[in-house]
Amino acid sequence: GSTIGIVGAMDVEVEALLPKIQNQQVKKIGNHRFYTGELEGKTVVVTKSGVGKVNAAMTTTLLIQSFGVDQLIFTGIAGASDPKLDPLDVVVSTRLVQHDVDLTAFNMPRGLLPDYQERYFYADKTLQKYAFDAAVETLGKESVYRGIIASGDQFIASKVKVTGIYQEYNAMAVEMEGAALGQVAEAFKVPYVVIRTISDKADGSADIVYSDLKKATADNSANITLNMLKQM
Ligand code: ADE
């Protein structure tokens, strides 16, 4: 059967899911905990990756290699990099890029790693559709977008930085894990999608809006994930 891996970076991003897991068992590998069981009737493994690309890559690898997950959903919050998005809007990933990858010294485009054909990692079309439909059902279609998500090991809180990422990568949202999960998932040919609810504008007003909305926006993505599992 199919096993769906569900990843959030922070406690707040998985805490709406963990109590709902039926037949829950916890397995610790290294410094990470994996919660197996059923959510909405589907076999799942839920984990908190921790913040950043290394944590995301490590947990994604373990989900695939130690738990045999064959589909991956990332659920969480993000800053808006496209100025038309506001807090509480949702972005379903079409593709993802690591905005902090820089080998421009070797005349390579920003975001492109050696031995890769391009700088974007592509989310699965079927999972995108499930996620989009579930988000629209949860929120209404005015608040739901499909687009590029840029990841890096930086909390973006500057107008100059966020504008740069928007212009360079055409990204709708910035966060710190999605493209790392995408890179690993692609390496193992596991389909994936990233669902992010906007918590801030990534422009320096970030810390204020972010702390106010963190819980509500994290729960929003978790609820979309639950809704999505129901349809799958
Ligand atoms: N997650 C939520 N807001 C973010 C921001 N502004 N930058 C990076 N990750 C985020």
Side-chain angles (χ1 to χ4, degrees), residues 68-98:
V69 308
D70 47 20
Q71 302 183 79
L72 281 157
I73 303 169
F74 192 102
T75 173
I77 66 179
S81 45
D82 184 332
K84 78 167 180 272
L85 269 71
D86 289 310
L88 293 168
D89 287 340
V90 171
V91 180
V92 172
S93 64
T94 51
R95 22 184 189 146
L96 300 103
V97 61
Q98 293 171 37

Side-chain angles (χ1 to χ4, degrees), residues 122-135:
Y122 287 77
D124 179 68
K125 291 250 168 63
T126 306
L127 290 177
Q128 281 181 55
K129 180 158 173 29
Y130 279 121
F132 185 85
D133 291 349

Side-chain angles (χ1 to χ4, degrees), residues 77-79 154-157 174-176 196 199-202 206 210:
I77 66 179
Q154 303 165 355
F155 188 91
I156 303 298
V174 288
E175 36 87 306
M176 303 178 66
R196 293 280 189 178
S199 58
D200 60 85
K201 302 276 271 183
Y210 175 84

Side-chain angles (χ1 to χ4, degrees), residues 23-29 32-36 46 67:
N23 302 314
Q24 186 179 124
Q25 293 203 310
V26 187
K27 192 172 173 195
K28 201 171 174 207
I29 305 179
H32 284 90
R33 283 188 179 80
F34 297 83
Y35 300 83
T36 64
V46 181
F67 295 90

Side-chain angles (χ1 to χ4, degrees), residues 169-183:
Y169 300 106
N170 196 23
M172 273 191 173
V174 288
E175 36 87 306
M176 303 178 66
E177 296 85 19
L181 176 142
Q183 183 180 347

Side-chain angles (χ1 to χ4, degrees), residues 16-225:
L17 301 175
L18 295 182
K20 294 206 162 74
I21 301 175
Q22 307 284 310
N23 302 314
Q24 186 179 124
Q25 293 203 310
V26 187
K27 192 172 173 195
K28 201 171 174 207
I29 305 179
N31 59 345
H32 284 90
R33 283 188 179 80
F34 297 83
Y35 300 83
T36 64
E38 291 97 50
L39 266 181
E40 304 292 356
K42 303 295 187 300
T43 303
V44 298
V45 186
V46 181
T47 193
K48 177 184 84 165
S49 60
V51 170
K53 295 193 301 172
V54 171
N55 276 322
M58 174 168 32
T59 48
T60 302
T61 307
L62 290 170
L63 282 168
I64 296 168
Q65 204 64 9
S66 299
F67 295 90
V69 308
D70 47 20
Q71 302 183 79
L72 281 157
I73 303 169
F74 192 102
T75 173
I77 66 179
S81 45
D82 184 332
K84 78 167 180 272
L85 269 71
D86 289 310
L88 293 168
D89 287 340
V90 171
V91 180
V92 172
S93 64
T94 51
R95 22 184 189 146
L96 300 103
V97 61
Q98 293 171 37
H99 68 72
D100 54 356
V101 166
D102 182 352
L103 285 88
T104 55
F106 302 96
N107 280 321
M108 287 171 59
R110 276 181 198 287
L112 182 63
L113 288 162
D115 299 330
Y116 282 78
Q117 298 297 322
E118 60 170 301
R119 56 189 186 167
Y120 294 106
F121 300 100
Y122 287 77
D124 179 68
K125 291 250 168 63
T126 306
L127 290 177
Q128 281 181 55
K129 180 158 173 29
Y130 279 121
F132 185 85
D133 291 349
V136 168
E137 195 186 301
T138 311
L139 287 184
K141 66 170 184 275
E142 309 73 35
S143 318
V144 185
Y145 297 82
R146 296 171 65 251
I148 294 167
I149 296 177
S151 311
D153 285 324
Q154 303 165 355
F155 188 91
I156 303 298
S158 134
K159 184 95 202 163
V160 171
K161 274 196 190 155
V162 73
T163 305
I165 292 168
Y166 176 57
Q167 289 174 347
E168 176 67 37
Y169 300 106
N170 196 23
M172 273 191 173
V174 288
E175 36 87 306
M176 303 178 66
E177 296 85 19
L181 176 142
Q183 183 180 347
V184 173
E186 269 194 32
F188 289 96
K189 298 189 165 52
V190 173
Y192 65 93
V193 71
V194 177
I195 304 167
R196 293 280 189 178
T197 302
I198 300 300
S199 58
D200 60 85
K201 302 276 271 183
D203 60 0
S205 56
D207 24 311
I208 307 159
V209 184
Y210 175 84
S211 43
D212 287 354
L213 290 180
K214 198 159 90 163
K215 175 70 180 155
T217 50
D219 281 352
N220 188 65
S221 291
N223 287 330
I224 292 167
T225 301

